[in-house]
Amino acid sequence: MPSAADLTRAFAESVVRRLRDAGHQALFAGGCVRDLLLGSVPQDFDVATTARPDEVRHLFGHRRTLAVGASFGVIVVVPSKAEREAGVVPVEVATFRTEGPYIDGRRPEHVSFADAEADAKRRDFTVNGMFLDPLDDRVIDFVGGQQDLAARVIRAIGEPRERMAEDKLRLLRAIRFAATLGFELDEETRSAVREMAGQLTVVSAERISAELRRMLMHATRRRAVELCADCGLLEVIFPELTPVLRLGKLGEHSPWERTLRALDVLDRPRFESSLAILLHSMTGRDDAPSMDEHCRRLRLSNNDRETAVWLLEHRHDLDAIRHRSHWFLKRLCAHPDIIDLISTVRALRTAAGESMADVEHVERFLAETPRHVIDPPPLLDGGDLVALGLKPGPEFKRLLDAVRNAQLDGTIDTDEAAIDFARRLHAEGVADTKDRP
Ligand code: ATP
Ligand code: MG
């Protein structure tokens, strides 16, 4: 059985062949060429062509195409239903173009259709600027990409300062590619990034977060963060890290060095865990914004924000957990992000040279305890309290929590016992609310 990657490649080749048969020039372009030449598997394929967007749509049919970026000349060609079910991903077909002028440091004023060479030169880095003819296996390289690929160097196409000034996201992209590919930054390109780092602020938070996400999800996240710090970009994205970074220069046992080590050993590629680790050393400082605030500034989704905040707030919950009550452990283990909390804490503890006993205790408990024991159906809900004649209000939650904790501890296990317990707590006017995960 061919893999989804093989089928995706075959589909992309069929797109090229169809364009070619209709008399157009058509080539693989950009990231997929780089990945193929490196011997790695491209996630997706981009095709560049002399065909105009309307010609592409006409050729593949309106039902099989999406005009997502028609103003840029980009048409998405969608595989058949059977192919999609086999994991084949759509191919972006873009008309060769030049872009310009760039006035706001983010996007071109307009694009115009052009030839392959001009299209190569509008791209960001030489290793991203090559074409490949997949039908006769020929590389078309106007920018010296093959040489830089062999030397493992990220180099801006053309004059680095000019290219970074056009679109300031390229400052961050230079680092992402250097880190994820394990390449060096060309000296001129690096100086340009250093000098211009402060200008990243003109780029939208969404585009910055998208790059940050890709850097932090990748196993090379430590190097990405180090390069960002070294070039001054990290302080632009997170100004409040500045004091931690300064202390970092003091070496080996500094909080910053520990942060880097933790990022390095993190064993699950989760954005939220990485972000929690990256920012943990500056929270707790009075002047530092909360994790919630950082996530809002980065315009993360509510889901991502809530997870990152939860991970950071609960990173000490595993401390001495063997001596905490049963309900505390169960509530923690019932949380949807517990696996990420465990890997976050494991990374932080490894980096600090601390014991793994608590982490292993929780892992063992999770592995050995059935779900219905960790998170059994509640014995009591708000409706039951109303039936008892209580009025909805803050006490409700306290009572429900207290009953829940007693249930998880195993001190009550029937509806009757739960009602009895709630009634008693209400009469005494006490409800244990401490330590709720
Ligand atoms: P990845 O495999 O990480 O997706 P990629 O090279 O495919 O890497 P994309 O962001 O998907 O990166 O962009 C596809 C191609 O478009 C790049 O290889 C590059 O040629 C060009 N490109 C993308 N963004 C820019 C930009 N900001 N400036 C110039 N060229 C760009
Ligand atoms: Mg891509």
Side-chain angles (χ1 to χ4, degrees):
M1 262 271 287
S3 68
D6 293 339
L7 292 170
T8 294
R9 181 174 179 167
F11 174 64
E13 284 181 14
S14 75
V15 170
V16 167
R17 193 168 297 114
R18 182 99 159 248
L19 285 158
R20 205 74 69 77
D21 289 347
H24 303 289
Q25 196 187 355
L27 300 164
F28 285 173
C32 65
V33 178
R34 177 200 68 220
D35 293 344
L36 289 170
L37 294 178
L38 284 172
S40 51
V41 179
Q43 296 296 309
D44 45 46
F45 286 81
D46 294 330
V47 169
T49 179
T50 46
R52 300 300 167 95
D54 52 330
E55 292 173 313
V56 176
R57 290 209 80 177
H58 183 72
L59 198 56
F60 292 93
H62 275 244
R63 286 183 50 240
R64 278 299 194 75
T65 51
L66 303 167
V68 284
S71 66
F72 273 27
V74 181
I75 300 290
V76 172
V77 180
V78 183
S80 69
K81 185 156 179 284
E83 286 170 319
R84 287 201 301 278
E85 280 164 4
V88 175
V89 300
V91 169
E92 279 193 11
V93 178
T95 310
F96 293 131
R97 67 177 190 262
T98 54
E99 299 177 336
Y102 283 76
I103 293 172
D104 62 0
R106 287 176 290 203
R107 64 180 93 77
E109 291 303 301
H110 54 76
V111 308
S112 25
F113 298 132
D115 61 9
E117 180 166 359
D119 187 80
K121 290 185 170 154
R122 67 152 179 104
R123 294 171 185 269
D124 47 9
F125 305 107
T126 58
V127 297
N128 288 348
M130 292 177 280
F131 300 108
L132 178 80
D133 180 338
L135 305 185
D136 55 10
D137 209 21
R138 188 168 55 96
V139 178
I140 296 132
D141 181 5
F142 298 103
V143 295
Q146 284 168 295
Q147 225 176 333
D148 285 336
L149 208 59
R152 307 180 71 79
V153 170
I154 297 299
R155 181 195 315 275
I157 294 174
E159 169 52 46
R161 280 167 194 79
E162 280 171 25
R163 301 309 311 284
M164 304 283 171
E166 287 177 352
D167 174 3
K168 282 145 190 174
L169 187 69
R170 291 173 190 158
L171 297 161
L172 213 47
R173 285 175 61 87
I175 293 197
R176 172 172 53 101
F177 288 113
T180 57
L181 297 170
F183 285 17
E184 290 304 319
L185 277 171
D186 151 68
E187 221 21 78
E188 278 296 298
T189 301
R190 182 194 287 257
S191 324
V193 176
R194 276 223 184 90
E195 277 166 38
M196 299 170 71
Q199 301 176 33
L200 183 69
T201 49
V202 306
V203 176
S204 72
E206 287 83 354
R207 288 179 84 205
I208 293 177
S209 324
E211 286 296 324
L212 202 58
R213 174 185 298 272
R214 302 181 73 165
M215 289 195 257
L216 290 178
M217 302 251 309
H218 202 271
T220 56
R221 61 184 79 80
R222 172 182 178 140
R223 178 142 184 271
V225 167
E226 279 183 300
L227 282 172
C228 281
D230 176 64
C231 291
L233 287 166
L234 200 62
E235 293 180 52
V236 175
I237 306 173
F238 302 113
E240 297 81 7
L241 270 179
T242 306
V244 185
L245 290 170
R246 297 241 164 88
L247 274 176
K249 307 236 157 63
L250 298 177
E252 197 59 11
H253 299 292
S254 65
W256 182 239
E257 184 52 39
R258 273 211 302 277
T259 300
L260 292 173
R261 275 208 297 272
L263 286 172
D264 199 22
V265 299
L266 183 67
D267 59 3
R268 267 167 66 92
R270 271 295 289 270
F271 178 51
E272 299 91 322
S273 305
S274 306
L275 201 60
I277 292 174
L278 178 61
L279 299 184
H280 87 281
S281 55
M282 74 171 149
T283 55
R285 301 170 52 92
D286 293 342
D287 53 340
S290 64
M291 188 66 169
D292 188 84
E293 174 63 26
H294 277 294
C295 295
R296 285 178 195 279
R297 281 194 209 161
L298 289 171
R299 302 232 202 293
L300 303 190
S301 70
N302 290 346
N303 257 331
D304 288 359
R305 177 173 41 99
E306 280 159 20
T307 300
V309 167
W310 186 81
L311 291 174
L312 194 71
E313 280 177 355
H314 292 272
R315 70 187 189 278
H316 294 303
D317 280 11
L318 272 64
D319 297 358
I321 193 136
R322 285 159 299 167
H323 309 295
R324 308 287 299 253
S325 37
H326 233 59
W327 66 256
F328 185 85
L329 178 59
K330 286 185 179 173
R331 276 183 185 256
L332 197 62
C333 287
H335 194 280
D337 296 313
I338 180 64
I339 300 294
D340 288 306
L341 183 66
I342 290 173
S343 59
T344 304
V345 173
R346 181 183 283 283
L348 287 168
R349 288 196 167 202
T350 305
E354 289 165 5
S355 153
M356 237 29 91
D358 293 319
V359 175
E360 282 160 9
H361 178 75
V362 176
E363 278 181 325
R364 209 173 316 119
F365 181 79
L366 254 181
E368 290 170 358
T369 317
R371 191 72 207 172
H372 69 269
V373 175
I374 291 178
D375 193 18
L379 293 171
L380 209 67
D381 63 20
D384 298 317
L385 295 184
V386 172
L388 281 180
L390 300 185
K391 292 200 176 56
E395 193 199 6
F396 252 51
K397 194 169 134 32
R398 288 204 300 274
L399 284 177
L400 290 175
D401 272 348
V403 172
R404 180 70 174 161
N405 293 347
Q407 178 190 5
L408 294 176
D409 275 343
T411 49
I412 53 173
D413 57 4
T414 63
D415 293 356
E416 296 72 40
I419 288 174
D420 217 46
F421 187 61
R423 201 182 273 132
R424 211 149 22 88
L425 284 178
H426 173 64
E428 290 167 10
V430 286
D432 181 7
T433 59
K434 285 198 310 277
D435 297 343
R436 193 172 173 268

